[in-house]
Amino acid sequence: MINIKKEKCIGCGACVKDCLGKAIKLIDGKADYVRNCMHCGHCVAICPVGAVSIPGYDMEDVEEYEKDTFTVQPENFLRAVKFRRSIRNFKDEPIEREKMERILDVGRYTPTAKNRQECRFILVQNQLEEFKELVWKEMPNIVEKLKTDNPEYARVFELFYLRHQKDPGEDVFFFNSTSFLVIASENPLDGGLAAANIENMAVAEGAGVLYNGYMMRVIKASDTLQEWLGITDTPVSCCMLLGYPAVTYRRTAPRKKKNIEWK
């Protein structure tokens, strides 16, 4: 449902032209919602007089555009992307709740296919030690399952487990991180796009991130871990470690030469 205040509408037709689903028409010089749509919010964003709202959505969070605070200089953004590093050495210092909420908000605002907004973000922070213990407890069962489903990973994880048994400080799954984030979504691309934005925001907040493909394999192979996380009905699309880096980088790292085709 889209709500259009007729007394405010000036009949400019901007929302009509920008509506992908053709759900809005001009009737008697006023915009009118005539059919169901995917609630993408373009009509809210484009209306020059703020006459449009979406009931059930957080309209209090809608902000008026200001060029100085809503834009990032392109050369700065490119340098920020070049400078980010995958972090495997974290400080024993949790990311503050206020910062973490902003980091997760960029995931929430990331575009999703058909505007489904179905990504789930499970942040394990206060119960991280409990979750770690469960992971290592489940590891023998996970290894046995992977011997059939993915023997290569079974061998690797079995080695990790044996190392951890000898030295509990040997933890190649969590690297002393203070937060573990699971993104679950039916469309894996939705989760991947959200993860990319979350990483950039985490870096902007002074934190660091490691995409954790190992933990994706671990969780997918364990019904027990899925139940603990509450995601038995939604596939895992990304796992991430977050925390403050315990290492300082001084310059960007090199990349292979460009592989771009202009046609």
Side-chain angles (χ1 to χ4, degrees), residues 93-97 99-100 103 125 178-179 202 207-208 242-244:
E93 179 184 349
I95 300 172
E96 297 85 346
R97 177 64 176 262
K99 289 184 179 181
M100 189 61 80
I103 291 170
Q125 193 174 55
T178 55
S179 300
L242 300 97
Y244 288 114

Side-chain angles (χ1 to χ4, degrees), residues 227-251:
E227 289 173 6
W228 192 95
L229 292 165
I231 55 169
T232 55
D233 57 344
T234 311
V236 176
S237 55
C238 188
C239 292
M240 309 171 74
L241 303 179
L242 300 97
Y244 288 114
V247 60
T248 300
Y249 296 100
R250 302 187 180 279
R251 59 193 58 84

Side-chain angles (χ1 to χ4, degrees), residues 92-130:
D92 188 16
E93 179 184 349
I95 300 172
E96 297 85 346
R97 177 64 176 262
E98 182 180 358
K99 289 184 179 181
M100 189 61 80
E101 286 183 350
R102 288 195 294 264
I103 291 170
L104 295 177
D105 261 350
V106 299
R108 184 167 66 96
Y109 273 96
T110 299
T112 54
K114 298 182 180 179
N115 195 39
R116 288 195 176 99
Q117 301 182 51
E118 289 180 342
C119 285
R120 294 182 57 198
F121 304 96
I122 299 91
L123 179 69
V124 185
Q125 193 174 55
N126 296 332
Q127 297 175 273
L128 183 56
E129 291 305 316
E130 176 186 334

Side-chain angles (χ1 to χ4, degrees), residues 57-122:
Y57 278 29
D58 187 2
M59 295 302 300
E60 292 183 2
D61 203 31
V62 174
E63 300 181 70
E64 295 293 323
Y65 173 75
E66 295 179 359
K67 183 178 180 179
D68 291 341
T69 58
F70 277 58
T71 55
V72 179
Q73 293 300 316
E75 60 272 20
N76 290 352
F77 183 74
L78 176 58
R79 287 194 178 109
V81 172
K82 289 172 67 177
F83 189 62
R84 52 83 38 211
R85 299 284 90 212
S86 295
I87 304 300
R88 293 177 176 84
N89 188 4
F90 294 92
K91 294 180 180 178
D92 188 16
E93 179 184 349
I95 300 172
E96 297 85 346
R97 177 64 176 262
E98 182 180 358
K99 289 184 179 181
M100 189 61 80
E101 286 183 350
R102 288 195 294 264
I103 291 170
L104 295 177
D105 261 350
V106 299
R108 184 167 66 96
Y109 273 96
T110 299
T112 54
K114 298 182 180 179
N115 195 39
R116 288 195 176 99
Q117 301 182 51
E118 289 180 342
C119 285
R120 294 182 57 198
F121 304 96
I122 299 91

Side-chain angles (χ1 to χ4, degrees), residues 115-210:
N115 195 39
R116 288 195 176 99
Q117 301 182 51
E118 289 180 342
C119 285
R120 294 182 57 198
F121 304 96
I122 299 91
L123 179 69
V124 185
Q125 193 174 55
N126 296 332
Q127 297 175 273
L128 183 56
E129 291 305 316
E130 176 186 334
F131 181 70
K132 287 181 182 180
E133 290 179 7
L134 184 59
V135 167
W136 289 114
K137 181 180 178 181
E138 281 293 300
M139 194 54 59
N141 295 330
I142 293 169
V143 169
E144 286 303 313
K145 183 174 182 179
L146 288 175
K147 284 180 179 179
T148 301
D149 298 344
N150 199 321
E152 181 180 352
Y153 277 97
R155 289 191 294 270
V156 173
F157 291 172
E158 187 172 27
L159 178 61
F160 290 166
Y161 177 70
L162 293 174
R163 287 179 180 175
H164 183 74
Q165 288 294 98
K166 291 181 180 179
D167 178 8
E170 184 77 21
D171 189 351
V172 294
F173 287 119
F174 296 98
F175 292 102
N176 196 44
S177 61
T178 55
S179 300
F180 176 65
L181 177 65
V182 177
I183 303 177
S185 60
E186 292 293 341
N187 184 340
L189 181 58
D190 289 348
L193 291 173
N197 279 344
I198 285 172
E199 180 187 22
N200 286 327
M201 187 63 181
V203 173
E205 293 284 4
V209 167
L210 175 68

